[in-house]
Amino acid sequence: MPVASLEPVNKHRPFRFGVQEHRANSTKQWRERVQTLESMGFATLYLPDHFSDQAGPIAALVAAADATTGLRVGSLVFDNDYRHPVVLAKEAATIDLLSDGRFELGIGAGWLASDYEQSGIQYDAAGTRIERLEEAVQIIKRFFGGREFSFRGKHYAIKGLEGAPLPVQKPHPPLLLGGGGRRMLRLAAREADIVHVNYNLNEGRINPRLVRTGMAEATDEKLGWVREAAGERFGSLELSTILFFGLVVERRGASEEAARLYGLSDEEGRGSPHLLVGPKGDVVERAHRFRERFGISFLVVSELDATRFAPAIEELRHR
C-alpha cells in the first residue's frame, strides 16, 4: 500500500507551536524575549546545541523558565557526542525540577561537521554516532527509573537519582528524537514521545541537495518508517517539524518567492511541510492540510520568523 494512502491516526491532535532561539545577549534582553514569545502563543522555546554564536543551552533554558510561567523549554537537540548520558540525565532532571515540569529533552547523534571541527571531537560515521545515541537513550531512560540493565553485552548498574533532584514529569520529561534518515526515525519511533521529522542531514552541511529530502513524497516515506517502527504506539506520538520558512505575508507571490530561494517550483514548495509562507488564511489552510496528510501537528519556527508567524497561531492552536 502506498505510504501516502495511509491515514495518520494522529491527524486530529491539537496544533502546538515552538520557536528555536539562538542568542541571549543580556539578562534583560533574554527575559523580555522569552516573555514576548510566551505572549504570542508559542508553547515551547527550544535552544540548539552548537559551538557557533549561541547561548549555552542549559543555563539559557533555566533562565527562560524562570522568566515565564507557562512556556515550556527544551533542547533541539543536545548532541550526544559531547554530553555524557548520565550527566545529561541529571541536568535534565534538574531543569525539569526548576521549570516546574516544563522541560522537553531533545537529544541527537550530532550532524554538523563544523561543530566537530571547532571542538576537536572526532566526527565518526553516521552509523557509529547513531549507535552511541541508541545506547545513550537506554542509559538516560534507565537512569530516571533507577534500574539495572544490559545493552549489547554491557551491564549498567544504574542506581537512579538517589539524593539528587528528581524530575517533576514522570517517568521522565518528554523525550524528543528525530532526523531525516531511516535509522534515526526508526529509533525515534521506538523510543521518543516527540518525533521530529527533518531534512536528511547525513552530509553534515547545509547544501542544495538537502532541500529535496524535505519534499512531500520524501516526508511520506519518512512517516512510513516511523509508523512501521512505532507499531501500536504510533497514535501516541507527537509528530513535529521545523519550518525553515514560517511566515504570514499578506503579499501575492510570497509563497513562490520562498520556493524559488530553495530552488523549488511553487507547487513543490507548497507541498513541503518545511515551507509555510503566504497570507494568513493560506498558511492556516496549508497547516491543516499538512496535519491531515502527515499527522504533523507541532510546528517549530526560527527566531527570525516568530513574530511574522504569530498571526497564524491564534487561528490554529485551538483546532
Side-chain angles (χ1 to χ4, degrees):
M1 180 183 295
V3 173
S5 68
L6 293 173
E7 184 174 348
V9 296
N10 44 14
K11 67 177 183 177
H12 299 300
R13 180 187 284 270
F15 283 106
R16 200 158 71 95
F17 302 94
V19 58
Q20 188 174 50
E21 287 277 339
H22 292 74
R23 295 179 181 85
N25 298 320
S26 69
T27 301
K28 182 176 184 293
Q29 175 268 334
W30 186 238
R31 291 181 65 88
E32 290 177 350
R33 176 59 174 165
V34 298
Q35 289 167 354
T36 297
L37 293 171
E38 183 176 35
S39 71
M40 288 179 182
F42 288 99
T44 303
L45 167 79
Y46 285 119
L47 264 79
D49 192 18
H50 297 301
F51 288 111
S52 56
D53 182 18
Q54 69 150 93
I58 292 176
L61 291 173
V62 173
D66 185 60
T68 55
T69 57
L71 186 69
R72 297 182 64 80
V73 297
S75 49
L76 193 61
V77 289
F78 286 131
D79 187 325
N80 177 63
D81 276 350
Y82 39 88
R83 296 188 182 275
H84 191 285
V86 173
V87 177
L88 182 59
K90 184 173 181 178
E91 293 288 356
T94 304
I95 298 173
D96 196 55
L97 177 68
L98 297 180
S99 67
D100 297 321
R102 289 183 278 144
F103 180 57
E104 297 172 9
L105 174 57
I107 182 170
W111 70 275
L112 188 61
S114 60
D115 280 337
Y116 292 78
E117 293 163 1
Q118 287 179 270
S119 64
I121 297 171
Q122 182 169 320
Y123 188 61
D124 291 320
T128 301
R129 286 181 279 118
I130 295 172
E131 184 173 320
R132 285 197 292 263
L133 177 63
E134 290 171 341
E135 183 176 15
V137 169
Q138 298 303 316
I139 293 171
I140 290 169
K141 283 190 167 184
R142 268 54 172 207
F143 190 70
F144 285 123
R147 300 191 302 275
E148 295 189 16
F149 73 104
S150 295
F151 185 77
R152 291 180 177 158
K154 290 193 284 187
H155 184 73
Y156 297 86
I158 292 175
K159 302 302 182 184
L161 295 167
E162 296 174 7
L166 290 170
V168 175
Q169 299 174 96
K170 299 293 189 285
H172 52 73
L175 181 63
L176 181 153
L177 296 168
R182 184 188 186 103
R183 185 169 176 181
M184 270 302 309
L185 286 170
R186 288 178 65 84
L187 172 62
R190 295 191 304 267
E191 301 289 350
D193 304 291
I194 304 168
V195 175
H196 190 74
V197 182
N198 204 346
Y199 291 104
N200 191 325
L201 304 171
N202 62 1
E203 292 191 32
R205 291 172 173 82
I206 303 296
N207 60 56
R209 291 187 300 275
L210 176 148
V211 175
R212 310 304 303 186
T213 71
M215 305 297 289
E217 293 76 14
T219 304
D220 284 330
E221 183 178 34
K222 294 170 192 174
L223 291 167
W225 300 334
V226 172
R227 179 187 283 270
E228 179 184 24
E232 293 182 357
R233 71 189 302 265
F234 181 74
S236 67
L237 299 178
E238 183 174 39
L239 304 179
S240 73
T241 196
I242 191 161
L243 301 177
F244 281 85
F245 271 127
L247 302 169
V248 172
V249 181
E250 300 295 339
R251 186 182 74 251
R252 292 185 61 184
S255 176
E256 294 92 328
E257 291 172 16
R260 279 200 300 272
L261 288 173
Y262 279 82
L264 304 175
S265 69
D266 182 41
E267 181 180 0
E268 290 173 325
R270 291 178 67 83
S272 170
H274 304 289
L275 299 176
L276 199 51
V277 179
K280 183 169 71 172
D282 184 47
V283 166
V284 169
E285 189 275 329
R286 286 167 60 202
H288 277 283
R289 184 151 30 96
F290 291 153
R291 187 175 63 176
E292 286 284 321
R293 176 170 180 171
F294 305 121
I296 295 172
S297 60
F298 186 10
L299 304 177
V300 182
V301 301
S302 76
E303 58 190 330
L304 299 176
D305 294 348
T307 300
R308 289 179 289 179
F309 187 75
I313 291 178
E314 190 60 34
E315 295 283 333
L316 288 166
R317 64 176 176 167
H318 298 305
R319 300 186 183 185

